[in-house]
Amino acid sequence: AAGMVGTIVVNGAPSNSIYDIVSNSADHTTLKAAIDACSLDGTLSGPGSFTLFAPTNAAFDLLPSGTVADLLANDIPGLTDILKHHVVGASVMSTMLSNNQIVTTLLGTDVTVTINSMGDVYIDNALVTFADIVADNGVVHVIDAVLLPTTPSNSIYDIVSNSADHTTLEVAIDACSLDGSFSRPGSFTLFAPTNAAFDLLPSGTVAALLN
């Protein structure tokens, strides 16, 4: 009627962030729980762009029994690193991937893309089972395994190997096949003689022992 004023409220388009895609997927409830626990929901809801390689519940179930529960209860920083190892700080569609391509994650670690003769795409050891789920802030690729970042080794053998003052000791360890013992898990103490210490032995002693 003349003289009446009406107001029309137009709702904005529903959010379709990477986090929304994960949250709305029945196959990614474990991933959502991990994202929430690590407070990465804001990151994956915010401006991007990002690429998420999203392991399914079945992928998490392939980990040793109790792994996820233990991480959630006792090691949120470690779980956060694992999740960041699945995220790239750019939108990478499947058409942008190439065989042997190295992609750097938000953790600063690298994953390797492999495309076999059948056209199957792998991210490290994980098969991309569903690609190019486009979000407002990037893209999601579903994968069938959890990507675990490698941690640099710092065993006793590594310390010896990386020391310029212990090359003779390293040669001796290798010759005696003790490199495995000093690399594997355990609790050892090594009293490590330097090259100069070996040089104090009578001339030719080390060479004779090695031969």
Side-chain angles (χ1 to χ4, degrees):
M4 294 183 66
V5 177
T7 301
I8 299 175
V9 178
V10 179
N11 293 323
S15 172
N16 187 43
S17 68
I18 288 175
Y19 180 69
D20 291 321
I21 290 172
V22 172
S23 298
N24 293 325
S25 170
D27 293 324
H28 290 88
T29 55
T30 304
L31 178 59
K32 179 183 183 299
I35 290 171
D36 290 345
C38 296
S39 300
L40 290 174
D41 50 317
T43 299
L44 296 177
S45 297
S49 54
F50 303 105
T51 297
L52 173 65
F53 299 112
T56 60
N57 296 337
F60 279 102
D61 289 342
L62 293 175
L63 295 174
S65 179
T67 298
V68 175
D70 183 61
L71 288 168
L72 286 169
N74 303 307
D75 192 6
I76 292 299
L79 182 58
T80 301
D81 284 349
I82 291 173
L83 293 180
K84 286 183 176 179
H85 186 61
H86 289 75
V87 182
V88 179
S91 182
V92 184
M93 302 296 289
S94 63
T95 54
M96 300 166 64
L97 299 174
S98 59
N99 193 36
N100 297 321
Q101 181 179 357
I102 304 297
V103 180
T104 302
T105 71
L106 286 188
L107 184 59
T109 49
D110 292 334
V111 293
T112 302
V113 179
T114 303
I115 303 176
N116 65 19
S117 59
M118 302 294 292
D120 297 323
V121 178
Y122 289 84
I123 309 300
D124 284 349
N125 63 317
L127 173 67
V128 176
T129 58
F130 201 96
D132 298 334
I133 305 172
V134 177
D136 295 335
N137 59 345
V139 62
V140 176
H141 304 300
V142 178
I143 55 176
D144 70 349
V146 177
L147 306 174
L148 297 175
T150 56
T151 55
S153 174
N154 189 40
S155 66
I156 288 176
Y157 182 71
D158 292 319
I159 291 171
V160 172
S161 299
N162 293 325
S163 170
D165 292 325
H166 292 86
T167 54
T168 304
L169 178 59
E170 182 190 2
V171 170
I173 289 172
D174 290 344
C176 297
S177 300
L178 290 174
D179 50 315
S181 297
F182 290 133
S183 297
R184 67 171 58 101
S187 181
F188 306 105
T189 298
L190 174 66
F191 298 106
T194 62
N195 296 339
F198 280 104
D199 289 342
L200 294 175
L201 295 173
S203 178
T205 299
V206 175
L209 289 169
L210 289 171
N211 293 326

